[in-house]
Amino acid sequence: MITEVVLPGQVEPEGLELRTRPLPEPGPGQALVAVEASGVSFAEQQMRRGKYYDQPPFPFVPGYDLVGTVVSTGPGVDPALRGRRFAALTKIGGWASHALVDAGDLVEVPEGVDAAEAETVVVNGITAWQMLHRVAKVRPGMTVLVHGANGGVGTTLVQLARHAGIKVIGTASPRHHDAVRALGATPLDYRDPDLPGRVRALAPGGVDAVFDHVGGEGIVDSFRLLARGGTLVSYGTAATRDAPGSSRAPVLKLFARLLLWNLLPNGRGAHFFNLWAGRRRKAAYQARIRADLGQVLALLASGEFTAMVAARIPLSDAAEAMRLAESGTVTGKVVLVADQDARRCGEEGAR
């Protein structure tokens, strides 16, 4: 049997449902993965409110990414994958004891890397790496501003930027400043009414890139803080997570702003990062994901990157994990880990 967490509708965390059903068989091109870890990301927080831009209709199984062991393979898939640990982007379906994954989406996890630690850099690592190196195209000596530097993507951005020789200014609440400082960034209070002035004091000519997951009216300050030739990378609309109304309206308003700013003759660029862009060219997309996630996993395996696991919570306690992730009290990422019975099933399947 497969155990999975179901999001039945717009519910509070305690409204999440746990169900079981027969274990599926992998079809052509698929692998069945015994899930060892799956993250609680901002996407799931939006989904339970019906606010994620292109979420499927209720009910469905959330889970944007996962790490686990392949226990069986479908036709056309190398059976040698069985018993090996992989990471994968899923968008939905990761909050389960087992998941069917397109074999082309699997990225091997290096030997000796803990599953929960690897999980923290799947969606977060790909997002941070691509925003830094494919969108902003950072270079050593630059200065960047990272909003939410204590969060899952934020802590990853800070570390990858520092590894690339970039100076980082990171916003967070004061309770997280020591943690942000320990990662190598200069922390600032995101609620400071003179936050733009504080940033300019550290970067008088402006910053070379801003990474903004907040959106809302604050995005205007993010753009104004750019140096000439700088890049704003927007990758979320956290400011409107709890706002009533359409989930699409804040995103469309943001897109319109970014488009307008790109037309201004000031040498600055503004982009919205979409992790799933280019998915229609499936082979090229999968190759890019393998290359970028592979870079981050290699840094994790070598000890040059520190996994920020805020908490490890059993799959059956998904409601607790969701509440903790939404509390704003943690540094890093909340990770759902396999319950003991699910873990045993995965291990037996691998054998």
Side-chain angles (χ1 to χ4, degrees), residues 91-171:
K91 187 177 269 190
I92 60 170
W95 290 9
S97 63
H98 298 77
L100 289 174
V101 179
D102 187 321
D105 289 331
L106 296 172
V107 181
E108 190 149 21
V109 175
E111 287 284 339
V113 174
D114 173 77
E117 293 185 354
E119 207 293 321
T120 67
V121 301
V122 184
V123 65
N124 291 349
I126 297 167
T127 297
W129 184 274
Q130 292 188 347
M131 289 195 301
L132 282 165
H133 297 289
R134 294 189 182 272
V135 182
K137 296 180 172 61
V138 295
R139 301 185 304 277
M142 285 184 165
T143 299
V144 303
L145 173 63
V146 175
H147 286 299
N150 63 295
V153 176
T155 55
T156 307
L157 271 167
V158 171
Q159 292 192 74
L160 293 181
R162 294 295 297 136
H163 182 265
I166 309 300
K167 178 182 176 182
V168 182
I169 302 166
T171 69

Side-chain angles (χ1 to χ4, degrees), residues 180-300:
V180 171
R181 193 177 290 111
L183 293 175
T186 300
L188 293 177
D189 186 351
Y190 75 94
R191 290 171 296 191
D192 189 327
D194 189 31
L195 178 61
R198 304 290 185 193
V199 174
R200 290 190 184 97
L202 295 169
V207 295
D208 297 293
V210 179
F211 301 94
D212 189 316
H213 72 296
V214 182
E217 293 307 308
I219 198 79
V220 177
D221 282 332
S222 289
F223 186 72
R224 288 173 176 168
L225 286 168
L226 291 174
R228 186 169 183 83
T231 304
L232 167 64
V233 186
S234 172
Y235 64 102
T237 54
T240 59
R241 185 191 70 178
D242 297 312
S246 168
S247 63
R248 294 177 176 266
V251 179
L252 295 175
K253 183 178 180 180
L254 175 61
F255 286 172
R257 269 183 166 152
L258 300 179
L259 178 62
L260 174 62
W261 288 339
N262 278 320
L263 297 175
L264 298 177
N266 56 21
R268 302 183 182 111
H271 306 272
F272 186 84
F273 176 77
N274 176 9
L275 181 61
W276 303 97
R279 180 72 180 180
R280 290 182 180 179
R281 298 179 60 192
K282 193 172 182 180
Y285 176 87
Q286 291 173 329
R288 190 164 61 247
I289 293 295
R290 285 193 297 271
D292 295 345
L293 180 55
Q295 296 264 22
V296 184
L297 286 170
L299 291 174
L300 180 61

Side-chain angles (χ1 to χ4, degrees), residues 315-328:
L315 178 69
S316 56
D317 293 332
E320 177 189 345
M322 180 73 87
R323 279 192 294 268
L324 181 61
E326 294 185 0
S327 70

